[in-house]
Amino acid sequence: MKGDILIVDDNLNNLQLLGNLLTENSYKVRMANSGRRALGAIKAGLPELIMLDITMPEMDGYEVCQQLKADPTTSPIPIIFISALDDVFDKVKAFKVGGVDYITKPFQIEEVLARIENQLTISRLRKELEKQNIQLAKEKEALIQAQKRTNLVFSAFAETLPGTILEGKYRLEHKIGKGGYAVVYKATQLSLNRPVAIKIFQPTPGNDTGLALDRFRLEGTSTSRITHPNAVSILEFDISFSGIAYLVMEFLQGHTLADEIEENWIIPPRRSLEIMIPVCQVLAEAHKLGIIHRDIKPENIFLHNAPGGEIIKVLDFGIAKNFNNDSEIHVSNLTSEGLVLGTPTFMAPERLRNHPYDGRSDVYSIGVILYNMLSGECPFESIDKSITTVITMHLTYMPDPIQELNSNVPEELGEIIMRTLDKRPENRPTAQQLAEELNNILPLLPPDPKSTKPQRTIVPNQTSSFRNTITSKIVGED
């Protein structure tokens, strides 16, 4: 049987003709000669498709269709109108009340069969998709609940760790941070009696595979290759006998650049360059080694209060990509096909397009940060916090000249920033070139004014409808 069809027509000859036609072509056929009888027949058993005449006594086909579409039980049934009325307004009304197709009498047998088969195929595909969506929703809910249970277990476990001595070498003191896949503790390295920071891998549903653990290890292997005072020092990566994966780092005290921007809104030019030149320098060193950070943003730039003064530190090489050394883990092999890692607000257009990229994608991120520091606004923002809007702006919009938002920014510095934001990577400076250009400008800048927190106001301009930064990652959060 190809399908269960109900034919509704007050003309008995038409009923018999259509009924015989469909029966001969292996369809199960039921018939009704009025609208009211049709509704009763449908209550007795739902057909897969209805062939419905329009002109009938008591209740015409339009009324029958409206009643069926108003009932959630019968609304999914496809209805093909078959009528002698051939005026365009009759056809339009048929579609408006919920019909999916319209056949004019007298009809061609091949046309009727083709239209029925087409609508049954569409209807069955829709039902199958609905079943799949329901199943996916159930599976998603199960994953959410499993993740909640895992998080509760890990949170309880994390709270019991302070005081624990890890591998006989590190005493965990207290929790100082938490990201999407790890918890960070202040600890004491017992052999040297010095403070360290220990990041402990948190396995969660979707982040509990060997690849996820490899990505965690990559943060250590990538950073440890970069011997630069402005890269956070990695002391050790290991997995304990009890199965705890951990990363030991130098202990930093201070705050992130994100905290400083939040506190001061606009960072003066000299202070901005003093922070970002070291970032450029450490990235230049990383790029020489074939390592691209891929998630440069204010949260990953730390202003460390060292005994000798402030030191800028670049954090979190957890989603870095290694290009030059085949013995290293390649992040492109650690992510699902088509998955993009990073933070949309600071991501270069070529990465958003999944095109080839190099270290100048990090330079683009630096340009976004400098624009943010000096103007108080990111160059590409969405007032409705839409990631899609932010991505579209990165791909198609040019930001307003930064001097329109802050007239204290020297023109030469503004030009450099705009070059870092060029859509075409080949037109941007490298990290090394950018560090040199900013170093050349720094002595020419006047001293920054004494710290006075300005009143924050939104300056209307061509991108004023795209405010409120998106800072969530496309994939992952740390």
Side-chain angles (χ1 to χ4, degrees):
M1 184 186 71
K2 290 184 177 180
D4 182 359
I5 298 178
L6 174 65
I7 306 172
V8 187
D9 197 319
D10 64 331
N11 187 307
L12 296 180
N13 290 331
N14 287 338
L15 277 178
Q16 194 64 41
L17 177 62
L18 271 175
N20 291 338
L21 168 66
L22 297 178
T23 301
E24 290 171 0
N25 283 274
S26 303
Y27 288 100
K28 177 183 176 181
V29 178
R30 289 183 286 161
M31 294 181 281
N33 62 1
S34 74
R36 295 193 185 283
R37 289 179 179 176
L39 294 175
I42 291 169
K43 288 181 180 179
L46 298 179
E48 275 195 277
L49 183 141
I50 299 171
M51 304 286 292
L52 183 59
D53 188 23
I54 293 177
T55 305
M56 295 184 293
E58 296 183 352
M59 179 183 291
D60 66 23
Y62 297 135
E63 294 176 82
V64 176
C65 187
Q66 284 177 317
Q67 287 200 27
L68 293 174
K69 293 303 174 182
D71 184 341
T73 305
T74 56
S75 62
I77 301 173
I79 297 173
I80 298 178
F81 282 93
I82 183 164
S83 172
L85 301 176
D86 62 355
D87 190 274
V88 67
F89 295 104
D90 298 311
K91 297 176 182 179
V92 169
K93 185 174 181 180
F95 289 118
K96 283 185 175 180
V97 297
V100 296
D101 206 345
Y102 194 104
I103 300 174
T104 305
K105 299 176 184 176
F107 52 79
Q108 297 292 323
I109 295 175
E110 292 79 6
E111 178 188 10
V112 172
L113 292 175
R115 290 176 183 263
I116 288 174
E117 184 177 349
N118 183 52
Q119 293 302 330
L120 283 175
T121 299
I122 293 172
S123 177
R124 289 165 181 169
L125 285 173
R126 178 181 54 77
K127 289 177 181 178
E128 184 61 32
L129 284 173
E130 288 175 354
K131 288 181 182 178
Q132 291 178 9
N133 287 338
I134 291 171
Q135 182 61 31
L136 286 172
K138 289 180 180 178
E139 292 174 359
K140 180 180 178 181
E141 180 60 27
L143 284 173
I144 291 172
Q145 295 304 320
Q147 184 168 358
K148 286 181 179 179
R149 290 192 295 270
T150 303
N151 286 342
L152 286 172
V153 171
F154 188 85
S155 295
F157 172 70
E159 294 301 324
T160 65
L161 284 178
T164 301
I165 295 179
L166 195 61
E167 297 298 282
K169 297 184 287 186
Y170 306 102
R171 184 177 62 245
L172 302 179
E173 307 293 353
H174 59 270
K175 185 167 65 175
I176 57 176
K178 185 179 185 302
Y181 68 91
V183 176
V184 183
Y185 296 86
K186 180 181 179 182
T188 299
Q189 186 177 9
L190 299 177
S191 61
L192 298 176
N193 193 31
R194 67 170 177 176
V196 293
I198 295 184
K199 181 181 283 191
I200 291 180
F201 178 68
Q202 175 181 0
T204 58
N207 191 46
D208 52 2
T209 64
L211 294 181
L213 185 59
D214 281 343
R215 190 177 296 119
F216 181 69
R217 178 169 66 88
L218 177 64
E219 179 175 357
T221 57
S222 295
T223 312
S224 62
R225 289 177 57 201
I226 305 169
T227 55
H228 194 281
N230 298 111
V232 62
S233 297
I234 300 296
L235 307 179
E236 181 180 2
F237 169 84
D238 205 350
I239 299 177
S240 71
F241 287 112
S242 58
I244 299 175
Y246 64 93
L247 192 64
V248 184
M249 305 173 288
E250 66 174 313
F251 181 70
L252 302 178
Q253 298 184 82
H255 59 278
T256 67
L257 177 57
D259 296 328
E260 181 137 333
I261 293 173
E262 179 67 24
E263 173 66 22
N264 298 296
W265 176 35
I266 291 178
I267 312 298
R270 178 174 286 274
R271 171 67 171 161
S272 294
L273 266 57
E274 288 171 347
I275 293 173
M276 295 307 295
I277 288 172
V279 174
C280 295
Q281 291 169 338
V282 72
L283 288 177
E285 181 67 23
H287 296 166
K288 288 178 184 177
L289 298 170
I291 299 171
I292 300 173
H293 189 286
R294 301 203 299 178
D295 199 22
I296 293 297
K297 59 182 179 179
E299 289 83 353
N300 285 335
I301 298 171
F302 198 88
L303 282 54
H304 173 46
N305 296 327
E310 182 180 82
I311 300 177
I312 308 302
K313 294 282 186 176
V314 177
L315 311 178
D316 197 356
F317 280 80
I319 66 167
K321 181 160 186 167
N322 294 281
F323 281 89
N324 293 346
N325 190 337
D326 291 337
S327 66
E328 293 293 338
I329 302 166
H330 288 255
V331 172
S332 58
N333 297 324
L334 303 181
T335 58
S336 300
E337 186 177 357
L339 214 56
V340 180
L341 292 170
T343 306
T345 299
F346 304 94
M347 198 178 295
E350 62 271 20
R351 291 201 56 225
L352 293 168
R353 287 193 172 100
N354 202 24
H355 286 179
Y357 59 91
D358 57 20
R360 284 169 294 190
S361 65
D362 283 343
V363 170
Y364 183 92
S365 302
I366 292 174
V368 176
I369 295 172
L370 276 169
Y371 194 103
N372 185 17
M373 295 171 74
L374 292 164
S375 72
E377 303 292 337
C378 280
F380 307 112
E381 298 181 307
S382 168
I383 196 168
D384 59 356
K385 298 188 177 181
S386 164
I387 291 178
T388 302
T389 301
V390 171
I391 291 173
T392 300
M393 295 182 72
H394 275 294
L395 299 179
T396 60
Y397 279 62
M398 285 302 297
D400 297 330
I402 196 168
Q403 287 89 354
E404 292 186 11
L405 300 177
N406 184 357
S407 59
N408 292 323
V409 176
E411 184 176 345
E412 187 178 359
L413 177 56
E415 290 176 354
I416 293 173
I417 293 172
M418 295 305 288
R419 281 197 289 114
T420 67
L421 296 175
D422 198 294
K423 308 297 182 191
R424 296 160 295 183
E426 62 272 17
N427 291 345
R428 298 176 209 145
T430 64
Q432 183 62 46
Q433 290 168 342
L434 181 57
E436 292 170 0
E437 291 182 27
L438 296 180
N439 255 323
N440 291 336
I441 292 177
L442 184 60
L444 306 178
L445 296 176
D448 291 334
K450 291 184 179 180
S451 178
T452 56
K453 191 173 181 179
Q455 293 296 314
R456 183 165 190 166
T457 57
I458 300 299
V459 180
N461 56 40
Q462 68 182 47
T463 59
S464 62
S465 61
F466 299 99
R467 303 295 178 190
N468 303 320
T469 308
I470 306 298
T471 55
S472 62
K473 289 185 179 180
I474 291 180
V475 178
E477 180 84 21
D478 187 36

